[in-house]
């Protein structure tokens, strides 16, 4: 009798544990294969950062061995046309006599269309297809308001999210091994995509990723609420890039928090609860993308803002990208992003508010730019973060809540430590002067620019533009 063969299609879930499709396949079939399609053209269309591509490749190289330990062979198919990827999977299935294809749901619109196409093609040739739900901690389909409509605000969503979480808390599956081995000695050659230097300091192997998560949860999570807003401190988990490519499971994070902290997890003021809430924000933006599909199509959540007239000043856009706005905290953050591929959440909010509310530039440009730089670039979180900052998304606060970049700098980088690290021109200034150097010194002598816009007048103008727009759209 020939072995029953299953295929697990890996996408943004590049791990060998905490993976329901894989566990299910191993339990129900003798032979299990895994496949990953490299789609370089799509990466370009989605503005993937080079460092993110390199992280995916580094992860695939490590994953090949990790899957082999479960007797699962990983095949990487190169240069797949994204729209053709369902057909590529069906061809693969026919080549290896695969009976069933398993994968984790993705909630972006194009990905949903792709998965429907896969189901259709597979069913036409008698291949079973099953979708699993590890992408979010709580599946978007399960949460809705008392009126059976999807939530539009985070706070009521979070309340229901917590109830759903406690009703069915994530649990690890057994770590079984496929009974028939298919492991070949073939190496996967990904050298043409790979510049190790881009990701050398990032954890890519299972052990190093687990160590990073364990250390954060055991040592730093309790203080998260106190230190998370200070960019010069190492106060956050730094796992967003691992969650973005699925090298780490968000469900595992929650499970480990519960194991370590038990009931403290539900205490609102406790650091671990605050961290849990951040993981819920990640789910929330996927939820928004799932229920309000127009946000996938370059449209704001609040649709009428599509007509809003943003400025299109290229010199301002370039100054912002290059970290030459004359606002030291903005410039430090933008220069750090270019060099490291990562930005602290507080700084993402500060630079985004400055971009949307001081420069009044189109949030879509910045969304693409962030994706092109971020190692953790993730459509839902990035799109949600930008729409929130531009006041066109799900934020409960009105448009006139505008961050003052100097006040934010004084509050969250009081000694100017972070600024000194990234804006060497200002390194010698005392803490009092570093947040607003043009007020105290002739910045030209430091080769640092004057502020490209005046805080008070640009904020006043933005408020006026928003007010007039709202009045017009209500007529
Ligand atoms: P921690 O503070 O340790 O939080 C743990 C995890 O919770 C994060 O890894 C992340 O997965 C999730 N999380 C935390 N804050 C948020 C948030 N505001 N929204 C959604 N999820 C959150 N995050 C991305 O993963 N990819 C992006 O492309 C992205 N773009 C953003 C763009 C803007 C304009 C803004 C304001 C935020 C963006 N974020 C994005 C959210 C957030 O800044 C990062 O997730 C966070 O800085 C990652 O650092 P960390 O892993 O140390 O997070």
């Amino acid at each position: 009798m020939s072995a029953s063969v299953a295929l697990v299609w890996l996408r943004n879930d590049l791990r060998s544990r905490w993976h329901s499709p894989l566990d299910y396949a191993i339990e129900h079939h003798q032979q299990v294969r895994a496949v990953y399609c490299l789609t370089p053209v799509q990466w370009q269309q989605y503005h993937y950062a080079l460092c993110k591509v390199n992280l995916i490749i580094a992860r695939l190289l490590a994953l090949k061995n990790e899957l082999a330990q479960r007797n699962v062979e990983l095949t990487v198919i190169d240069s797949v046309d994204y729209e053709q990827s369902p057909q590529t999977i069906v061809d693969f299935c026919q080549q290896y006599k695969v009976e069933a294809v398993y994968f984790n749901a993705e909630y972006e619109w194009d990905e949903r269309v792709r998965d429907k196409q896969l189901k259709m093609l597979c069913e036409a040739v008698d291949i079973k297809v099953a979708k699993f739900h590890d992408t979010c901690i709580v599946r978007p389909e399960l949460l809705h308001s008392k009126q059976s409509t999807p939530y539009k605000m985070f706070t009521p969503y979070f309340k229901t999210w917590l109830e759903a979480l406690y009703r069915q808390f994530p649990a690890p599956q057994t770590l079984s091994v496929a009974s028939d081995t298919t492991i070949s000695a073939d190496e996967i050659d990904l050298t043409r995509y790979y510049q190790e230097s881009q990701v050398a300091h990032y954890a890519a192997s299972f052990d190093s990723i687990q160590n990073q998560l364990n250390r954060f949860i055991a040592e730093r999570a309790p203080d998260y609420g106190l230190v998370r807003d200070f960019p010069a401190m190492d106060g956050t988990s730094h796992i967003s890039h691992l969650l973005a490519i699925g090298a780490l499971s968000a469900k595992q994070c929650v499970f480990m928090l519960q194991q370590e902290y038990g009931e403290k997890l539900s205490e609102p003021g406790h650091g671990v609860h605050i961290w849990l809430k951040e993981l819920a924000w990640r789910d929330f933006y996927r939820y928004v993308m799932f229920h309000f599909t127009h946000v996938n199509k370059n449209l704001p959540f609040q649709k009428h803002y599509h007509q809003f007239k943003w400025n299109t000043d290229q010199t301002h856009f370039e100054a912002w990208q290059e970290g030459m706005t004359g606002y030291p905290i903005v410039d430090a953050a933008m220069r750090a992003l270019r060099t490291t591929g990562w930005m602290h959440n507080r700084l993402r909010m500060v630079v985004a508010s400055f971009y949307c509310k001081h420069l009044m530039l189109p949030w879509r440009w910045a969304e693409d730019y962030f994706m092109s730089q971020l190692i953790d670039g993730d459509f839902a979180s990035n799109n949600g973060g930008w729409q929130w900052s531009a006041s066109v998304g799900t934020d409960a606060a009105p448009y006139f809540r505008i961050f003052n970049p100097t006040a934010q700098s004084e509050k969250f980088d009081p000694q100017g430590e972070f600024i000194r690290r990234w804006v060497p021109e200002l390194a010698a200034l005392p803490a009092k002067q570093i947040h607003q150097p043009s007020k105290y010194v002739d910045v030209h002598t430091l080769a640092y620019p004057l502020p490209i816009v005046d805080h008070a007048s640009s904020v006043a103008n933005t408020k006026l533009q928003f007010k007039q727009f709202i009045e017009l759209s209500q007529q």
Side-chain angles (χ1 to χ4, degrees):
M1 201 182 84
S2 62
S4 144
V5 188
L7 179 69
V8 175
W9 184 6
L10 299 171
R11 290 90 72 100
N12 279 325
D13 49 355
L14 298 182
R15 57 184 182 272
S16 62
R17 301 188 192 190
W18 283 91
H19 197 292
S20 305
L22 192 60
D23 293 336
Y24 184 90
I26 291 175
E27 204 177 307
H28 291 87
H29 299 267
Q30 287 147 303
Q31 221 181 76
V32 179
R33 294 180 165 272
V35 74
Y36 183 83
C37 299
L38 298 173
T39 51
V41 173
Q42 179 218 16
W43 293 341
Q44 264 179 2
Q45 284 164 353
Y46 286 8
H47 307 283
Y48 272 28
L50 187 59
C51 52
K52 177 172 169 173
V53 171
N54 275 283
L55 182 71
I56 292 172
I57 304 298
R59 185 64 203 127
L60 286 171
L61 293 169
L63 189 57
K64 170 113 178 137
N65 297 328
E66 291 157 17
L67 285 169
Q69 287 165 19
R70 297 189 77 181
N71 269 352
V72 175
E73 168 87 357
L74 171 64
T75 305
V76 177
I77 309 178
D78 195 358
S79 300
V80 176
D81 174 345
Y82 181 70
E83 285 178 8
Q84 291 300 316
S85 56
Q87 186 59 53
T88 305
I89 295 298
V90 173
D91 294 346
F92 185 92
C93 289
Q94 293 190 313
Q95 185 183 350
Y96 291 99
K97 304 198 168 21
V98 168
E99 289 166 19
V101 181
Y102 303 124
F103 57 85
N104 266 315
E106 293 187 304
Y107 300 107
E108 292 85 349
W109 181 255
D110 289 350
E111 281 65 11
R112 282 162 70 185
V113 171
R114 175 201 60 192
D115 290 346
K116 274 203 181 129
Q117 171 82 356
L118 175 76
K119 189 163 185 290
M120 221 177 63
L121 290 175
C122 282
E123 284 173 356
V125 289
D126 255 351
I127 297 170
K128 184 182 149 200
V129 177
K131 180 160 73 171
F132 292 77
H133 297 276
D134 292 340
T135 307
C136 292
I137 297 165
V138 179
R139 285 173 60 177
E141 300 96 316
L142 302 182
L143 305 180
H144 46 75
S145 70
K146 289 202 176 79
Q147 293 74 37
S148 299
T149 51
Y151 290 107
K152 294 182 173 177
M153 300 281 174
F154 177 75
T155 304
Y157 163 86
F158 181 53
K159 192 168 169 279
T160 320
W161 183 91
L162 276 178
E163 288 161 8
L165 171 67
Y166 281 104
R167 264 200 308 278
Q168 197 173 19
F169 216 86
Q173 276 111 348
T174 54
L175 202 61
S176 47
V177 173
S179 49
D180 276 19
T181 179
T182 55
I183 307 301
S184 69
D186 298 353
E187 293 286 319
I188 33 180
D189 181 11
L190 300 172
T191 40
R192 89 182 170 97
Y193 294 105
Y194 195 38
Q195 291 168 19
E196 198 179 348
S197 60
Q198 282 271 326
V199 283
H201 59 290
Y202 282 102
S205 72
F206 173 79
D207 288 340
S208 50
I209 290 170
Q210 294 298 311
N211 282 341
Q212 185 180 338
L213 180 64
N214 291 344
R215 271 204 317 274
F216 174 76
I217 289 185
E219 297 164 18
R220 292 187 289 128
D223 292 332
Y224 179 75
L226 300 174
V227 293
R228 67 174 175 147
D229 274 319
F230 297 90
M233 296 174 82
D234 196 14
T236 68
S237 63
H238 291 274
I239 59 163
S240 47
H241 60 297
L242 300 172
L243 290 172
I245 63 162
L248 200 55
S249 147
K251 287 186 179 176
Q252 185 193 359
C253 298
V254 172
F255 172 79
M256 288 176 61
L257 276 182
Q258 169 77 9
Q259 290 276 298
E260 185 89 19
Y261 298 102
E263 287 182 359
K264 291 197 177 93
L265 196 52
S266 30
E267 286 174 23
H270 199 287
V272 294
H273 180 83
I274 299 172
W275 196 62
L276 178 71
K277 200 171 183 177
E278 294 307 312
L279 293 172
W281 271 105
R282 177 179 176 273
D283 268 19
F284 178 62
Y285 285 137
R286 280 171 169 66
Y287 175 89
V288 169
M289 188 171 70
F290 176 76
H291 287 288
F292 303 94
T293 52
H294 61 279
V295 303
N296 291 264
K297 298 168 187 168
N298 294 336
L299 288 172
F301 176 80
Q302 300 178 50
K303 284 185 190 154
H304 61 287
Y305 274 111
H306 191 45
Q307 309 299 335
F308 188 77
K309 291 272 171 281
W310 301 96
N311 293 334
T312 51
D313 186 328
Q314 281 293 336
T315 53
H316 279 179
F317 184 47
E318 280 160 24
W320 178 80
Q321 288 175 306
E322 286 161 13
M324 292 297 280
T325 67
Y327 284 85
I329 195 70
V330 173
D331 295 340
M334 295 304 292
R335 294 183 196 186
L337 172 65
R338 281 191 144 186
T339 309
T340 66
W342 189 79
M343 193 190 286
H344 189 280
N345 184 58
R346 170 58 50 183
L347 298 179
R348 291 187 209 209
M349 293 195 292
V350 170
V351 303
S353 172
F354 179 79
Y355 176 95
C356 299
K357 301 289 176 60
H358 286 71
L359 304 181
M360 248 186 70
L361 288 165
W363 60 273
R364 284 279 300 107
W365 291 4
E367 182 195 2
D368 288 350
Y369 179 70
F370 256 39
M371 276 303 281
S372 76
Q373 301 296 309
L374 283 171
I375 191 156
D376 65 13
D378 168 78
F379 176 77
S381 300
N382 192 40
N383 180 273
W386 276 102
Q387 296 218 26
W388 185 92
S389 306
S391 299
V392 301
T394 55
D395 188 9
Y399 66 88
F400 44 81
R401 194 265 312 275
I402 299 179
F403 287 174
N404 175 336
T406 308
Q408 290 281 313
S409 184
E410 286 165 349
K411 187 166 176 194
F412 296 114
D413 188 26
Q415 298 309 314
E417 227 177 306
F418 185 80
I419 294 174
R420 276 193 194 88
R421 206 178 291 162
W422 292 102
V423 189
E425 304 94 292
L426 306 178
L429 293 183
K432 189 174 161 28
Q433 298 180 1
I434 202 163
H435 307 286
Q436 203 178 5
S438 57
K439 188 172 163 189
Y440 301 97
V441 292
D442 176 3
V443 286
H444 290 120
T445 62
L446 303 174
Y448 186 70
L450 279 166
I452 56 171
V453 288
D454 170 61
H455 167 68
S457 56
S458 56
V459 166
N461 176 50
T462 301
K463 285 182 182 168
L464 182 68
Q465 300 296 326
F466 267 84
K467 187 167 175 284
Q468 286 176 345
F469 177 79
I470 290 166
E471 282 166 5
L472 258 175
S473 49
Q474 283 168 348
Q475 275 172 17

